[in-house]
Amino acid sequence: MNIPDLNTKKWTQESQPAKLEEILGDGSVKCHLSPRNCVIKEGQVGFCKVRGNRNGRLVTLNYGKGVHNTQETIETEAVFHFSPGEKILSLGNIGCMLNCGYCHNWKTSQAKYVTDKDVYYYTPEQVVDSALRHGIKILSWTYNDPVVWHEFILDTAKLAKEAGLINLYKSAFFITEEAIDELLPVIDIFSISLKSSSPEYYRKVTTGWIEPVLEGIKKVYNAGKHVEISTLMVTDISDDEDSARTISKWVLDELDPSVPLHFVRFHPDYKMSNNVRTPINRLHKAKSIAQELGLRHVYLGNINDDEATNSYCYQCSSLLVTRYGLNAESIGLDKTGRCLKCGCYNNFIILEKNYSKNSINLQHLNTSSLEKKKFNWHGDIVSIHAQVTNTLDTPNTIFFRRRMRDDAHGEWECISLLAKESYRFIIAKSKPQEIGPEFLLSQGISSNLHEVFDRAHFPTEAIEDIGISMDDTTPKIGYKGKQNMYTQLIKMVNKDEN
Ligand code: SF4
């Protein structure tokens, strides 16, 4: 995308006609996008605050408006069985049909906290063009939640498919069947966050309800889409053995044993900042329960250096894919996704790789005039978003590499930018001895680094503005409201047990 026209627009000003509208006789409209089915009066907005009633018609307020598009890897989206290590272009918008107490994207998912400086404006053509130019084959609709970006996704995903791209939908999937019917022709991969198996948990923690989520998962699975399920294990609330057992049984009974299931580590955030990270032993216990019940591909998420993120053949136990954080390397799969050793199919889809890392030898380049920038991994901060902007009227290039202990380093890689182009990409720690990335920036490039807490987190504040986080377990920009949700939920859990 081009450099945004910063702060000159108010994101709520413009609207577009919305789909899934029912006009009611009294001037109000009903929205059929999420199961809330909000009835909205003239001039008002629905629960998500990004769909409203203007002149008696349902409109969307966030068409083409989102956070900065970001190059990541497919592992960021809890998708482990679709072309491991593949680059994706992550696209997030603003607003949400839920309000989960632990949301790590609350600054963009809850429309009342969105500031105009964080909103970027895109057309479907710009999104597709950016992916193609940077050698990316998958668009990922993600972050806050794609459900409330319905019209923009349908338009862009259709264009992307025509250009040979693949669409991934990462969602809590609180969505109506009518809306799913519109997504099925254009979405290829569904990564669904099944928050819990408990109806009470859904009501209290997410403000939604579980039934449409379960029905939606079955619908996309039965439509033959690639589906992966992930569950956030919230410390002392939903990281118990019973929760792991019920979710695993549901996947087994309603889907099949080859559907990948991810148990994801929680970090304190939003209305649950007064909790602690999920103890890793509880995640491992959940994984063993799921495997004992018969699930073939069970993973742990938000854990960097742990073999519970690797893929093994369920038949001969050969190592198929190694993972470290958000990096993956396929070492035991053939081109059709079968185990190289025994030929067993492990529910992998592999895209043909026609791109390679843009490695470059800088020996012949005079680097003394380039600005150098370094970042050190610390605590749980093992990935960052780098946002770079070419302010020149001519193309430009940025260079980066990984620094290791003992003055060793990886190869220089580069990203080419068009005149006035703004680009954002993730770098995630890839091995234990890696200490952090290093950048070389030509004249005319401005840059900002953003600390990422766990996967699918979109940080809005740059370390150049707020500094480096001193607390490694929760983002520096914290929610200033009440922190009582964890305390209330603990009472609920204890009451159930008594
Ligand atoms: S998408 Fe928004 S307006 Fe529509 S029903 Fe859901 S919360 Fe209400």
Side-chain angles (χ1 to χ4, degrees):
M1 68 152 293
N2 290 335
I3 298 172
D5 190 9
L6 283 176
N7 299 325
T8 56
K9 275 186 176 176
K10 292 232 167 297
W11 73 264
T12 45
Q13 260 168 7
E14 290 164 9
S15 61
Q16 300 260 354
K19 286 172 161 280
L20 301 163
E21 163 198 61
E22 184 185 346
I23 299 174
L24 304 176
D26 58 357
S28 55
V29 286
K30 192 175 199 177
C31 173
H32 287 267
L33 176 52
S34 88
R36 286 188 197 282
N37 290 140
C38 297
V39 172
I40 313 172
K41 290 193 178 129
E42 172 61 39
Q44 305 289 305
V45 288
F47 176 95
C48 59
K49 297 189 175 56
V50 289
R51 295 168 87 76
N53 180 338
R54 299 287 180 269
N55 303 317
R57 299 301 302 263
L58 183 67
V59 296
T60 160
L61 299 172
N62 65 355
Y63 187 94
K65 303 169 194 172
V67 296
H68 200 297
N69 293 350
T70 307
Q71 177 189 308
E72 299 184 305
T73 58
I74 197 163
E75 282 67 27
T76 317
E77 307 297 46
V79 174
F80 279 17
H81 281 240
F82 199 104
S83 232
E86 191 74 37
K87 285 197 288 187
I88 58 172
L89 188 63
S90 292
L91 307 134
N93 68 102
I94 45 183
C96 189
M97 64 297 164
L98 296 173
N99 186 0
C100 301
Y102 45 66
C103 182
H104 65 183
N105 288 322
W106 60 270
K107 276 207 76 191
T108 51
S109 71
Q110 301 308 307
K112 66 179 173 182
Y113 301 118
V114 172
T115 52
D116 290 314
K117 80 164 177 56
D118 294 328
V119 179
Y120 292 79
Y121 295 76
Y122 295 95
T123 63
E125 290 77 11
Q126 282 173 330
V127 170
V128 172
D129 176 63
S130 178
L132 292 173
R133 264 190 313 102
H134 289 282
I136 296 173
K137 295 181 194 157
I138 300 178
L139 298 186
S140 179
W141 304 95
T142 181
Y143 297 137
N144 54 325
D145 201 290
V147 166
V148 292
W149 221 13
H150 194 64
E151 292 77 10
F152 187 69
I153 291 175
L154 291 179
D155 289 351
T156 312
K158 181 169 177 288
L159 204 63
K161 270 193 106 60
E162 286 163 7
L165 300 177
I166 285 164
N167 288 289
L168 189 167
Y169 198 88
K170 167 96 167 75
S171 173
F173 227 44
F174 188 62
I175 186 170
T176 60
E177 288 211 27
E178 300 142 270
I180 296 175
D181 284 335
E182 296 189 332
L183 290 174
L184 286 176
V186 289
I187 303 294
D188 307 282
I189 307 166
F190 287 88
S191 174
I192 299 177
S193 170
L194 177 57
K195 312 272 180 193
S196 164
S197 55
S198 153
E200 195 178 6
Y201 176 102
Y202 257 86
R203 290 273 178 185
K204 292 209 159 114
V205 180
T206 73
T207 70
W209 44 101
I210 192 170
E211 295 79 7
V213 179
L214 298 178
E215 288 309 309
I217 297 173
K218 285 194 275 182
K219 189 172 171 85
V220 294
Y221 170 79
N222 289 329
K225 301 294 176 179
H226 182 84
V227 175
E228 304 206 15
I229 307 290
S230 52
T231 297
L232 187 71
M233 307 294 276
V234 182
T235 315
D236 294 337
I237 304 291
S238 61
D239 61 349
D240 57 297
E241 295 181 17
D242 266 0
S243 295
R245 197 168 289 112
T246 6
I247 295 238
S248 305
K249 266 194 76 43
W250 186 86
V251 174
L252 271 171
D253 293 347
E254 302 293 341
L255 310 180
D256 77 69
S258 69
V259 171
L261 175 62
H262 305 249
F263 291 114
V264 182
R265 196 175 189 207
F266 157 90
H267 77 246
D269 217 322
Y270 195 31
K271 298 176 187 171
M272 281 205 213
S273 300
N274 59 345
N275 198 346
V276 294
R277 294 213 82 161
T278 324
I280 289 176
N281 63 326
R282 296 188 195 173
L283 295 165
H284 278 286
K285 184 69 198 173
K287 182 173 189 283
S288 351
I289 288 169
Q291 285 175 318
E292 278 159 24
L293 283 168
L295 286 177
R296 294 173 186 165
H297 309 295
V298 187
Y299 300 101
L300 301 189
N302 290 343
I303 288 184
N304 224 41
D305 187 7
D306 193 310
E307 63 171 28
T309 61
N310 291 339
S311 295
Y312 297 89
C313 175
Y314 81 89
Q315 190 163 277
C316 74
S317 303
S318 292
L319 183 56
L320 304 176
V321 182
T322 59
R323 295 190 183 80
Y324 189 97
L326 301 174
N327 303 278
E329 191 181 359
S330 175
I331 58 167
L333 290 169
D334 69 14
K335 285 181 182 166
T336 65
R338 290 177 183 278
C339 171
L340 277 173
K341 190 164 174 208
C342 74
C344 172
Y345 184 62
N346 282 271
N347 192 19
F348 276 93
I349 296 172
I350 309 290
L351 296 178
E352 197 183 324
K353 289 259 190 291
N354 61 2
Y355 68 86
S356 56
K357 276 203 289 188
N358 289 329
S359 300
I360 190 161
N361 187 339
L362 293 187
Q363 262 179 350
H364 305 295
L365 190 75
N366 176 8
T367 56
S368 59
S369 62
L370 304 183
E371 183 196 343
K372 295 185 180 62
K373 199 166 199 174
K374 290 180 181 175
F375 180 84
N376 290 336
W377 304 132
H378 58 100
D380 287 352
I381 312 295
V382 285
S383 52
I384 54 162
H385 283 174
Q387 190 165 320
V388 288
T389 303
N390 177 16
T391 61
L392 303 182
D393 291 326
T394 49
N396 215 331
T397 306
I398 67 130
F399 307 94
F400 61 95
R401 67 180 178 185
R402 296 164 184 277
R403 293 176 297 125
M404 310 291 166
R405 281 188 216 125
D406 303 323
D407 281 339
H409 48 75
E411 292 174 337
W412 284 108
E413 297 174 52
C414 66
I415 292 180
S416 303
L417 300 174
L418 294 178
K420 302 290 185 193
E421 184 178 3
S422 175
Y423 198 65
R424 182 157 166 150
F425 62 102
I426 199 168
I427 301 182
K429 185 174 179 179
S430 65
K431 49 183 75 159
Q433 64 271 31
E434 189 181 315
I435 57 173
E438 173 178 15
F439 303 85
L440 283 180
L441 305 163
S442 321
Q443 201 185 10
I445 300 271
S446 69
S447 72
N448 291 107
L449 303 180
H450 302 73
E451 291 183 332
V452 175
F453 274 81
D454 293 342
R455 63 186 178 200
H457 172 222
F458 186 92
T460 53
E461 309 299 330
I463 62 171
E464 288 82 358
D465 298 325
I466 61 167
I468 287 173
S469 171
M470 303 308 288
D471 176 356
D472 291 329
T473 57
T474 190
K476 189 163 182 178
I477 294 291
Y479 175 66
K480 298 286 184 264
K482 283 190 183 159
Q483 293 295 325
N484 58 358
M485 181 173 266
Y486 172 63
T487 320
Q488 285 172 1
L489 291 166
I490 275 293
K491 281 188 194 147
M492 175 186 103
V493 171
N494 290 339
K495 193 177 85 202
D496 287 352
E497 281 174 358
N498 291 334

